[in-house]
Structures are given as structure tokens and as C-alpha cells.
């Protein structure tokens, strides 16, 4: 079953390349954008839920601190009181749509990556990239910067968290992309571009959902 799926993705990629004047580079980018756009409603919903959960937890922080102090010597009672407070305010455990999205994305992404790895083995050049089967330093840097932009635009992260850790994922991305083939990095870049779009859409949704400040008379 797995090999059938990978081979099917490989055939689809070949058809896309044929329709794009034989360019496997453009085909990989087109596939990445198409897949992420297909999943965008699901991933955007999960991100919005995560933001609302974080905002609610921020509002509940004083009450949680009070419970932590009150039940300092009884961790079990504190856990029960915390769960009761969460239920009262409709705070989920954070595993719902986010977990479903991960379950869908993981095998799909793994299969597409395997298909791209096979397809670009004999592919030629694209833009400045000599061979899609080899790593490319400039492409790795571009992917890392795009990942950083998606994190900075993500409203689900506090400003303090962005300042503290937004460079860490970018560095990890750079190290990983530095060793991946350019074909896989192109897929990563295409998907990350939709990730930046998702972050911008989430910011817009959140801005619209927040009440307007009262007008001064």
C-alpha cells in the first residue's frame, strides 16, 4: 500500500513536470502549494483553536496561580481543581483538531517526500540550482528565513516567546535543509509559503474577532 502511494505521487509529479515544460523544480513547488492549500482549512482551524486556548489560559493565569498556592501541598487536589476550572471555561486539552491535523499531515508528507526523493534523482537544474538531487546552500537559507517569517507572523505565540525562541526553529531548519536535496527543499519552501499565508490569515481572523475599543467622546 505504501509503495503504491509513493509511486502514485511520483507519477503525479512526473505529469506536473511534463505540463510545466519538463521542470521538476516548478512541479515540486506546485505540488507543495497545492497540498498545503488543500490542508489549509484544517490547519488554519487548528491554529485558531490553539490561539483561543492560549488566550483563555492567559486570562485564567491569576486563578491558576491562586489554586497552585492553595493546593501547594496537595498536587492531586490541584490537578483536579485545575481540570474543573478548565471545564468551566471550556478549555480543551489541546489535542483535538491539532492532533487530527498531525495525523493527516505526517503520512501524506512522508509519502510525498519519498516520491520527490525518487523523482529528482535524475532531474537536472532549476534556476541557479545545478542539480535538484544535491543540497543547495542558498535554498537552505531561503527556507530557514521563510520558516522564521511564519513564526514571527504567528499570533498564537507571545512576543516574549517569539523573541526567545523564533531563531531556534530557523536554525534547526537551516541545518536540516542544508543536508537535504534541493528538490526536497523546494517542496519545503512551497509548503512554508502557505504557512506564511496561514499566519497572515490567522492574524486577520483574530483581529476581526476582537472587540473594538470604545470611542472617545
Amino acid at each position: 500500500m505504501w509503495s503504491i502511494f509513493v509511486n502514485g505521487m511520483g507519477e503525479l509529479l512526473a505529469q506536473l513536470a511534463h505540463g510545466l515544460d519538463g521542470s521538476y523544480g516548478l512541479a515540486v513547488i506546485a505540488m507543495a502549494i497545492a497540498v498545503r492549500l488543500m490542508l489549509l482549512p484544517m490547519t488554519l482551524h487548528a491554529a485558531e483553536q490553539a490561539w483561543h486556548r492560549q488566550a483563555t489560559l492567559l486570562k485564567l493565569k491569576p486563578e491558576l496561580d491562586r489554586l497552585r498556592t492553595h493546593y501547594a501541598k496537595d498536587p492531586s487536589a490541584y490537578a483536579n481543581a485545575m481540570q474543573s476550572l478548565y471545564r468551566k471555561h471550556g478549555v480543551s486539552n489541546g489535542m483535538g483538531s491539532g492532533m487530527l491535523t498531525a495525523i493527516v499531515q505526517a503520512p501524506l508528507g512522508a509519502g510525498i517526500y519519498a516520491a520527490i526523493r525518487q523523482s529528482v534523482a535524475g532531474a537536472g537544474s532549476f534556476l541557479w540550482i545545478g542539480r535538484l538531487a544535491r543540497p543547495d546552500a542558498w535554498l537552505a537559507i531561503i527556507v530557514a528565513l521563510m520558516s522564521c517569517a511564519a513564526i514571527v507572523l504567528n499570533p498564537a505565540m507571545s512576543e516574549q516567546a517569539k523573541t526567545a525562541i523564533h531563531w531556534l526553529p530557523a536554525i534547526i531548519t537551516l541545518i536540516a535543509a542544508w543536508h537535504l536535496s534541493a528538490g526536497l527543499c523546494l517542496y519545503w519552501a512551497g509548503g512554508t509559503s502557505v504557512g506564511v499565508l496561514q499566519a497572515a490569515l490567522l492574524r486577520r481572523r483574530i483581529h476581526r474577532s476582537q472587540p473594538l475599543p470604545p470611542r472617545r467622546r
Side-chain angles (χ1 to χ4, degrees):
M1 181 66 79
W2 180 250
S3 60
I4 293 175
F5 173 69
V6 172
N7 290 336
M9 289 295 100
E11 286 294 327
L12 178 59
L13 186 62
Q15 291 297 322
L16 281 173
H18 180 73
L20 294 169
D21 199 27
S23 175
Y24 267 91
L26 284 177
V28 168
I29 294 173
M31 176 178 282
I33 293 175
V35 170
R36 283 300 306 271
L37 287 177
M38 179 181 66
L39 295 174
L40 183 60
M42 181 187 300
T43 56
L44 183 58
H45 176 69
E48 189 173 10
Q49 279 193 331
W51 181 86
H52 284 297
R53 182 177 187 274
Q54 179 179 312
T56 303
L57 289 176
L58 187 61
K59 292 179 181 178
L60 294 178
K61 188 177 184 303
E63 183 66 15
L64 288 170
D65 290 341
R66 188 189 67 80
L67 291 175
R68 187 179 295 107
T69 302
H70 183 73
Y71 295 107
K73 297 182 179 180
D74 192 345
S76 178
Y78 168 70
N80 291 333
M82 181 179 64
Q83 291 301 322
S84 177
L85 183 66
Y86 283 0
R87 286 193 297 270
K88 178 181 177 181
H89 292 273
V91 178
S92 66
N93 59 8
M95 301 293 287
S97 57
M99 178 62 72
L100 177 61
T101 302
I103 292 173
V104 172
Q105 283 185 304
L108 180 62
I112 293 174
Y113 264 55
I116 292 173
R117 190 183 299 111
Q118 294 177 7
S119 300
V120 301
S125 61
F126 176 68
L127 298 178
W128 70 87
I129 304 167
R131 285 193 60 186
L132 291 176
R134 294 179 179 175
D136 182 84
W138 285 110
L139 183 57
I141 293 172
I142 290 172
V143 172
L145 291 175
M146 292 175 67
S147 299
C148 185
I151 294 170
V152 170
L153 288 173
N154 184 6
M157 293 182 64
S158 66
E159 292 301 322
Q160 291 179 343
K162 289 177 184 177
T163 303
I165 68 170
H166 79 269
W167 285 110
L168 181 59
I171 293 172
I172 295 174
T173 299
L174 177 62
I175 294 172
W178 199 278
H179 295 88
L180 290 176
S181 70
L184 292 177
C185 282
L186 284 175
Y187 184 85
W188 198 342
T192 304
S193 68
V194 180
V196 174
L197 172 63
Q198 175 180 303
L201 290 175
L202 182 57
R203 291 177 71 92
R204 186 177 180 182
R205 282 192 180 188
I206 291 172
H207 178 72
R208 287 183 173 183
S209 67
Q210 292 177 336
L212 295 174
R215 292 184 179 180
R216 293 182 178 179
R217 294 183 178 180

